[in-house]
Every structure is written in C-alpha cells, then in structure tokens.
Amino acid sequence: MAAPNVDLVLVIDASASMKPCFDGLRQHLAKVLQPLQGHFANVEFCMLAQSVGLRGRQLVHDHRFLGCRGAEALDLLYKSPAAQGAPRSKFFSSDSAKVSTFLAGLRPDGNEDLLLALDLAADLPFGGVGNTCRIIALFSDEPIEAGAVESGRLEKIPELIDKLQQRRIKLFAAIPESPAALELSQANRSEIEFVEGGDGLK
C-alpha cells in the first residue's frame, strides 16, 4: 500500500557556479512542485539551499530553509529540548507558493559542500516511516568531490548511505558523474541522474 504522505526535501546548490543554470532550475522546480499537491494525498515541501563562504581562513556554511537559516536552523535540528528534535513548521510546508517565493529570493554565491548538505537533509524531522514517503532530491552542477569538502568527508559516504537506508529516505540527485556520485548511487531506493557541469542543469 502506498504511503498517503510525501515529504520532499529539495537540496539546492546555491553556490556561485550555479549562476548559469539557476534561473532555469528555479523555473522548472516551480512548475513541477505546484501540481504535486493534490496529485498525491498530502505533500510537504522542504527547501535546503546551501552555500559556503570564507571568513578569514575559516569556512562558513550558510544553510537556508523555508522558516530558518544558519545557526538557528542547526540549533533547532540538534539542540532542541524536544526529544524528537525540531518543529516541522520551521522546515516543511504544504504551500508550493512559499517554495516558489523562497526559490525566487535565492542568489547563488560562494562554494558548496554537498555531502554536508545531504547529511543535514537526512536529519530533518520527516513524517513517520509507516505513512510517509521520504524523499531527498539534490541538484548541483558540481561533482560531489568539488567545492569546500573538508578533509575526511568523502570517507563518510558509507555512513551517509547507512543513514539514508535506516531512515528509509529515497535519494534522487541530478549531479555530474564522479566516483562519489557512483558510490552514493549504491544506496537503496536511490536514483542518480548525471548532468553536465556548468549550465547542464538547464
């Protein structure tokens, strides 16, 4: 029996390299999301837009969600006093217009750290496994190995795959082909679509 609910997390690379394809990706996503609500029993959307900058020599990660960003978002996810973590309303919404507004306000800048973004997405407060189809969809024009990947991050891909599988999260990704992408494709229920770099996401 199909799950009556769908939690769809869109992980968007909001780094400077996305500028050539960002408007096209934004328009396509807006067109795709609106009809989903009503086609399925109940669809909740979450957006995670990530960019990485430098403050002196220190990497600064900016994670933007529908209702929070940065340190506030991390505190909600990992330091919330509630046993089950963050309130869904800060991250998920059934309003596709809210998602379109969020997309319209994004301006690509900085670098990316795609594995960290995926790890954060897997920790979001998804609906219950028994009645929710959990999906993460990643969009980037850069290989997973590119960008601001900190030392040792790539070695943790098996742990990320285990997390996705244990939490029954389906992974879809539109990213350039690379060894790390091929390794991620081994996760159960994953679907990786390889795209060209640069404006390949158009």
Side-chain angles (χ1 to χ4, degrees):
M1 180 175 168
N5 304 315
V6 177
D7 279 357
L8 174 57
V9 179
L10 299 173
V11 179
I12 309 295
D13 174 359
S15 66
S17 66
M18 290 284 286
K19 287 179 182 177
C21 62
F22 211 75
D23 284 341
L25 177 64
R26 189 162 27 206
Q27 291 166 12
H28 288 312
L29 286 176
K31 288 178 184 176
V32 167
L33 295 181
Q34 192 169 2
L36 285 178
Q37 194 60 277
H39 184 72
F40 296 97
N42 181 46
V43 182
E44 293 273 336
F45 304 106
C46 174
M47 300 294 303
L48 167 50
Q50 184 209 56
S51 61
V52 183
L54 279 174
R55 185 179 296 147
R57 294 184 178 182
Q58 184 178 2
L59 290 175
V60 178
H61 292 74
D62 185 16
H63 299 102
R64 285 160 278 179
F65 296 89
L66 289 174
C68 55
R69 71 184 290 179
E72 178 195 2
L74 296 181
D75 284 348
L76 285 170
L77 278 175
Y78 300 112
K79 296 182 181 179
S80 170
Q84 295 303 312
R88 277 178 59 88
S89 61
K90 287 285 188 177
F91 298 96
F92 287 90
S93 175
S94 60
D95 186 355
S96 60
K98 188 174 182 180
V99 175
S100 295
T101 300
F102 178 90
L103 286 168
L106 290 177
R107 298 293 176 265
D109 192 27
N111 220 324
E112 70 281 318
D113 186 345
L114 300 177
L115 288 177
L116 178 60
L118 282 176
D119 193 49
L120 279 175
D123 288 335
L124 286 164
F126 286 90
V129 169
N131 66 350
T132 306
C133 178
R134 301 168 164 191
I135 303 169
I136 294 174
L138 167 68
F139 300 91
S140 177
D141 70 322
E142 293 280 356
I144 288 172
E145 296 87 341
V149 179
E150 294 181 358
S151 176
R153 186 96 74 206
L154 294 170
E155 286 75 22
K156 295 184 178 180
I157 291 178
E159 293 178 34
L160 177 58
I161 290 173
D162 285 344
K163 180 187 283 191
L164 293 170
Q165 292 178 166
Q166 288 171 10
R167 299 182 181 183
R168 298 187 188 177
I169 297 170
K170 298 179 181 182
L171 173 65
F172 171 81
I175 50 178
E177 185 173 0
S178 73
L182 290 169
E183 188 175 0
L184 265 181
S185 72
Q186 297 173 23
N188 292 339
R189 301 178 292 274
S190 69
E191 182 179 336
I192 311 293
E193 181 176 337
F194 296 123
V195 299
E196 296 296 326
D199 65 355
L201 280 172
K202 280 185 179 177

